[in-house]
Amino acid sequence: MIPISQAIQIVLQHTPKLASEGVALPEATNRILAEDIVADTDLPPFDRAQMDGYAVRAADVANTPAQLRIVGESAAGAGWHHQMNSGEAVRIMTGAPVPIGADAVQQVELTREPNGAGTVEILESVEAGRSIVKQAAEIKSGETVLRAGDDINVQTIATLASFGYASVKVGRRPRVAVMATGSELVDVSEKPARDQIRDSNNYTIEAYAKLAGATVKRLPLAGDDREELKRQMAAAVDDCDLLVTSGGVSMGVYDFTKTAFRDLGAEIFFERVALRPGKPTVFGRIGKTLIFGLPGNPVSVAVTFNLFVRAALRAMQGASETSLTQFTAVLAKDVKGSQGRESYLPAVLQTDEKGTLFAEPLKWGGSSDFVSFARATALVRVPADAGKVVSGSIVRGLRLPT
Ligand code: AMP
Ligand code: MG
């Protein structure tokens, strides 16, 4: 049995980075950048007015009211590109370039423009620099603004667009095959007969894998039959980067997943992790394809997928951050640690009115309790051999992906 941290290290060590590909900007959200993003212009590209009003020389309006002659107009997209002299003003709009010679913008509300006079009255003085964003004050041309390995999310789209990335290089999507094993399983579309249950793991894994950026192929349900497992696995590994199975990795007489992996010549890198739930998780490789044998219990699937498989999928795409987001919170209910194993317990995170983050572990019906798990937003970490951890303790954990 190896510690979780070591298991994650082993996963990352054996996970190859896939090639990159170009995608059009509208398709880039939720992908991983495979190139540094470099500014090709200053931001702002020119001294920019931040207000609608008048470009002036601050010295001209030190004593107010001050009369200035209007010599032009600078609008967004149509600037006034002449020298502005003392005693002059230029009518200016938000986003427009500030004329040479002006050093401040007075907002229109603090001015008066008598009809047809060709002059403006500035009612209050302004200090030099007011309502002007200087060229390159935000970003200098040539600066690296995002790095290969960063996540592209909606917040990064404006940056990509502004620097001309109509298409952007991202890590290729890993191709994942999922395969639920168990002779008791029927598909969601069927009514379970005697001794049967509906498969949920294939759908859970598919959903999490897509959140992690993968494309997913669901394989037919496989019974607990060594030959059938081998046949399906052999066919699957030929056209995917990563195969995830669920079920059949425990000590039961009909748990054939590992046997089938080995029959196919798999190298097994680990097969027992000091984790609750999820101890019998298997990680290995057949040819070039990574293989994960997750336990069958639906909550164990959610925990082990997010700790191990997700890390591999993100590493394949070149992500610099492969783990879930961590949190620190106040425990809202007593929990018990497990002997010799670190626990990751499903929990709901909530902030109280004072701003304190609380983690409330869900009523633990065991690793098969997927109906309780439906409310989970996080996993609370309880160190191995921690004994009883009381309500009010500070705990750490991982936020589930959304
Ligand atoms: P196993 O790891 O094969 O011993 O399965 C552990 C438990 O998880 C058993 O109660 C199985 O019926 C259940 N289980 C296994 N695979 C699935 C699945 N794909 N969907 C829902 N439950 C499953
Ligand atoms: Mg089984």
Side-chain angles (χ1 to χ4, degrees):
M1 211 155 64
I2 59 170
I4 296 168
S5 57
Q6 192 185 337
I8 292 170
Q9 240 183 330
I10 292 172
V11 167
L12 295 177
Q13 191 183 314
H14 288 96
T15 301
K17 192 161 128 183
L18 303 176
S20 64
E21 62 185 13
V23 293
L25 183 55
E27 317 309 322
T29 308
N30 296 335
R31 305 291 295 266
I32 310 289
L33 269 176
E35 61 179 328
D36 289 348
I37 299 301
V38 178
D40 72 338
T41 59
D42 289 340
L43 274 192
F46 43 79
D47 292 358
R48 181 175 64 197
Q50 227 176 355
M51 288 277 185
D52 296 319
Y54 293 85
V56 299
R57 292 174 174 237
D60 284 353
V61 298
N63 298 310
T64 51
Q67 295 280 340
L68 298 172
R69 197 159 59 83
I70 300 171
V71 293
E73 180 177 288
S74 183
W80 186 80
H81 298 287
H82 309 280
Q83 168 79 31
M84 195 193 86
N85 297 310
S86 181
E88 298 177 345
V90 168
R91 194 182 295 121
I92 197 162
M93 321 301 154
T94 303
V98 176
I100 306 158
D103 62 7
V105 170
Q106 180 55 291
Q107 65 188 88
V108 70
E109 293 85 348
L110 302 177
T111 68
R112 196 163 52 213
E113 192 181 323
N115 255 348
T119 59
V120 59
E121 204 174 353
I122 306 295
L123 304 176
E124 277 184 31
S125 63
V126 283
E127 71 276 23
R130 170 85 73 86
S131 297
I132 296 176
V133 187
K134 294 298 265 182
Q135 176 169 350
E138 290 159 1
I139 297 292
K140 276 196 174 37
S141 180
E143 234 178 274
T144 299
V145 289
L146 297 169
R147 302 233 169 238
D150 286 352
D151 281 83
I152 302 175
N153 53 37
V154 183
Q155 295 84 275
T156 52
I157 294 296
T159 298
L160 295 171
S162 298
F163 297 121
Y165 287 83
S167 99
V168 57
K169 267 196 198 159
V170 299
R172 171 167 81 67
R173 289 190 185 282
R175 295 164 306 162
V176 170
V178 286
M179 181 179 155
T181 75
S183 297
E184 73 278 33
L185 302 177
V186 297
D187 186 58
V188 58
S189 56
E190 287 175 50
K191 182 96 187 146
R194 198 177 69 174
D195 303 338
Q196 294 183 324
I197 60 167
R198 290 194 182 95
D199 157 49
S200 64
N201 290 342
N202 268 354
Y203 293 95
T204 299
I205 293 168
E206 176 169 355
Y208 280 133
K210 285 178 173 168
L211 282 183
T215 60
V216 178
K217 180 173 171 188
R218 221 177 323 113
L219 303 176
L221 298 172
D224 295 310
D225 176 290
R226 189 166 162 177
E227 292 309 314
E228 187 185 346
L229 288 172
K230 272 166 61 178
R231 218 172 24 250
Q232 283 216 34
M233 287 171 180
V237 294
D238 279 343
D239 62 359
C240 68
D241 302 302
L242 192 151
L243 167 67
V244 192
T245 67
S246 61
V249 287
S250 306
M251 305 300 284
V253 180
Y254 298 103
D255 287 335
F256 291 128
T257 301
K258 282 195 275 187
T259 320
F261 281 155
R262 289 209 166 88
D263 286 347
L264 292 170
E267 298 167 77
I268 302 292
F269 302 126
F270 62 75
E271 54 188 302
R272 277 155 73 84
V273 184
L275 164 63
R276 179 183 74 143
K279 179 169 81 172
T281 301
V282 180
F283 173 59
R285 187 167 59 197
I286 298 175
K288 284 190 167 152
T289 301
L290 296 184
I291 52 173
F292 283 93
L294 307 185
N297 270 311
V299 180
S300 309
V301 162
V303 171
T304 56
F305 183 97
N306 282 301
L307 288 176
F308 308 119
V309 188
R310 188 172 191 279
L313 293 177
R314 288 184 52 85
M316 281 181 168
Q317 296 165 83
S320 34
E321 182 57 71
T322 54
S323 95
L324 291 169
T325 310
Q326 297 205 31
F327 69 84
T328 304
V330 177
L331 192 64
K333 220 160 79 183
D334 295 355
V335 293
K336 270 224 223 64
S338 174
Q339 246 184 18
R341 293 193 276 162
E342 212 174 303
S343 306
Y344 275 89
L345 306 179
V348 182
L349 290 183
Q350 256 155 357
T351 310
D352 74 356
E353 62 286 352
K354 285 187 190 143
T356 307
L357 186 67
F358 281 91
E360 187 202 332
L362 296 170
K363 185 176 67 64
W364 181 245
S367 50
S368 62
D369 192 356
F370 50 82
V371 177
S372 298
F373 184 75
R375 288 181 57 228
T377 57
L379 302 170
V380 167
R381 190 178 79 90
V382 184
D385 307 314
K388 184 168 156 188
V389 184
V390 295
S391 170
S393 309
I394 304 295
V395 289
R396 289 173 182 279
L398 301 169
R399 291 177 190 267
L400 287 166
T402 49

